[in-house]
């Protein structure tokens, strides 16, 4: 059996009871940290879970996924993944491959930035549109894709969650702003919310014009950005004004 | 301190270690089951958590929220919520009120249908647009709102998660289809995916034309529906074809 266990947003105590049971019962425990990151060390995970954990690299879940699936045919294999395991399409591909080969698959869900973002920003979850990722420039080329997604979402008056690239190093909000400035066509004039370390005790949420978010000190990663919809519900506005240091001019968005 | 603890998708073992610690340490433990439901009884939760749990009704978190907030000023109060606690705007209002009064608030996130839906359907999470809820008719009037959200999402080629009303009783997929047929303008001719009991061992996922979903037996609630975007990524199609019994004609959506 192949079990994907979500580790949630922050540390070793965000695992569920069901997830921990699966870890304790497994023949072999793997973890991958390239589709998402925790703020806790591998050592600490091993100590708290009482298991040795082997790190999977990207290739182990992509080109070489057959090895993992074959191992799960004979053994009880757990793969630990920060956040919710099925957010990354990499993992759904492995699930597909395993199921197709008749290997039993189990997914133990957990919190993900995709759902937690509403809570920390006070924004209504049903008003979020498509999600996008801001990537590092590739061979000097900056992708416009995330700004296209923002434009799509603005056309239906929806918020946009922008996740920031994790590899080789987790991108900061300041880096994201400076990358997107190269391809901006006015999107950076919109209001946005920068969030850091969602789900941890020292999380930070700041609302400002998108282009100004880079001037705030968000501290350590992980960072994400929400570009606000064309209008805000009054309670969304009040929350951002009160707890995200939003400028008074944000009021112009209230419908 | 007021701590909202997410219970995740199904049963008493979906709580996180952090959540369980908060429950054990609390002076008073409440739970609310009107914004979402678990498939487990209160008795069982009380037994496994080793605590007496008092059920909050809607009014306790709305008109009478001041009582809860005042209690949390003096005592360590936990409110258990199925799924992720901050998905419901009711809870963000209470958080707002408490923070404003200087009462410390903590949120322990957990899995939510909003993020888990991607995993169980094989659909890419970043392709979901706005979420909507199908409500029971109010005084005989059926709301067009969910179909308007589907139309918005189709205009940007995004999937739509439709949550189904929980009160007075969790709505089934068959009921949702028959309610929406009253206000349909062609949306029900699109392909959709019906999902039941996400995150449980006996979950079910079926892809068909939206109007035909009512003919399938999805068993016990909770049920939800995803209306598919105008096009599908090839891996989304393959997943639905292989594991959701999608008709061969779904292939016409592959881009």
């Amino acid at each position: 059996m192949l079990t994907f266990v979500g580790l949630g947003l922050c540390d070793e105590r965000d695992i569920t009871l069901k997830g921990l049971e699966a870890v304790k019962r497994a023949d072999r425990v793997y973890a991958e940290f390239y589709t998402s990151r925790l703020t806790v060390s591998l050592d600490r995970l091993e100590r708290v879970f009482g298991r040795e954990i082997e790190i999977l690299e990207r290739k182990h879940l992509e080109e070489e996924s057959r090895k993992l699936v074959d191992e799960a045919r004979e053994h009880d294999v757990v793969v630990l993944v920060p956040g919710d395991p099925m957010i990354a399409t990499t993992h759904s591909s492995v699930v597909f491959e395993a199921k197709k080969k008749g290997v039993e698959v189990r997914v133990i869900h957990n919190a993900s930035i995709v759902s937690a973002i509403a809570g920390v920003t006070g924004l209504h979850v049903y008003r979020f549109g498509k999600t996008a990722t801001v990537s590092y420039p590739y061979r000097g080329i900056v992708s416009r894709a995330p700004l296209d997604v923002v434009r799509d979402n603005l056309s239906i008056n929806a918020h946009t969650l922008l996740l920031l690239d994790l590899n080789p190093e987790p991108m900061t909000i300041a880096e994201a702003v400076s990358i997107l400035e190269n391809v901006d066509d006015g999107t950076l004039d919109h209001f946005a919310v920068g969030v850091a370390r969602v789900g941890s005790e020292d999380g930070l949420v700041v609302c400002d014009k998108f282009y100004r978010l880079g001037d705030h000190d968000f501290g350590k990663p992980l960072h994400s950005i929400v570009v606000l919809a064309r209008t805000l519900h009054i309670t969304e506005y009040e929350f951002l004004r009160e707890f995200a240091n939003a400028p008074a001019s944000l009021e112009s968005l209230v419908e």
Side-chain angles (χ1 to χ4, degrees), chain A:
Chain A
M1 181 157 75
L2 181 58
T3 308
F4 284 91
V5 175
L7 291 175
L9 296 168
C10 279
D11 63 36
E12 74 284 356
R13 295 183 308 132
D14 287 321
I15 197 169
T16 65
L17 301 186
K18 219 175 255 177
L20 189 58
E21 281 162 29
V23 169
K24 292 198 179 293
R25 212 174 40 222
D27 297 320
R28 195 80 172 261
V29 183
Y30 295 107
E32 74 84 1
F33 297 111
Y34 73 85
T35 63
S36 187
R37 302 284 173 101
L38 288 185
T39 54
V40 69
S41 71
L42 184 67
D43 272 7
R44 196 167 166 76
L45 282 186
E46 289 188 322
R47 209 164 56 238
V48 175
F49 296 171
R51 296 298 308 257
E52 228 175 89
I53 301 171
E54 202 172 315
I55 299 288
L56 293 179
E57 288 165 38
R58 186 173 198 131
K59 63 173 182 188
H60 297 125
L61 285 158
E62 297 189 347
E63 309 94 85
E64 299 178 16
S65 58
R66 200 169 56 84
K67 272 156 82 175
L68 186 70
V69 170
D70 286 344
E71 189 182 357
R73 189 192 299 283
E74 306 292 329
H75 303 283
D76 204 343
V77 174
V78 159
V79 179
L80 301 171
V81 185
D84 184 83
M86 287 300 112
I87 291 301
T89 49
T90 305
H91 303 141
S92 17
S93 304
V94 178
V95 168
F96 182 80
E97 187 182 342
K99 281 189 168 187
K100 222 177 151 174
K101 287 186 173 167
V103 174
E104 204 186 334
V105 179
R106 200 170 160 221
V107 176
I108 299 177
H109 292 284
N110 208 321
S112 154
I113 177 82
V114 173
S115 47
I117 190 71
V120 298
T121 56
L123 297 168
H124 297 179
V125 70
Y126 59 83
R127 296 200 58 209
F128 279 79
K130 292 188 284 190
T131 302
T133 299
V134 182
S135 304
Y136 287 109
Y138 180 70
R139 297 182 175 178
I141 309 288
V142 175
S143 166
R144 262 201 56 84
L147 297 185
D148 289 341
V149 170
V150 173
R151 189 200 52 212
D152 278 358
N153 287 333
L154 285 172
S155 78
I156 62 167
N157 199 16
H159 307 309
T160 307
L161 169 62
L162 295 177
L163 303 172
L164 307 188
D165 207 345
L166 293 170
N167 301 296
E169 286 302 321
M171 187 186 286
T172 65
I173 287 170
E175 287 175 306
V177 170
S178 104
I179 288 169
L180 291 174
E181 272 171 347
N182 293 297
V183 286
D184 183 38
D185 56 0
T187 306
L188 271 72
D189 290 328
H190 285 270
F191 280 103
V193 184
V195 297
R197 299 172 301 285
V198 168
S200 81
E201 302 286 316
D202 69 338
L204 183 66
V205 183
V206 177
C207 175
D208 204 341
K209 288 282 187 175
F210 194 166
Y211 70 88
R212 274 204 293 258
L213 282 183
D215 303 336
H216 297 273
D217 180 9
F218 284 93
K220 284 187 302 176
L222 303 179
H223 294 181
S224 315
I225 297 169
V226 178
V227 184
L228 296 180
R230 282 188 278 106
T231 63
L232 289 181
H233 188 274
I234 177 73
T235 61
E236 295 181 313
Y237 164 73
E238 285 173 347
F239 195 101
L240 291 173
R241 185 87 176 109
E242 196 81 29
F243 308 119
N245 208 18
S249 54
L250 184 69
E251 196 177 357
S252 61
L253 268 60
V254 177
E255 48 192 356

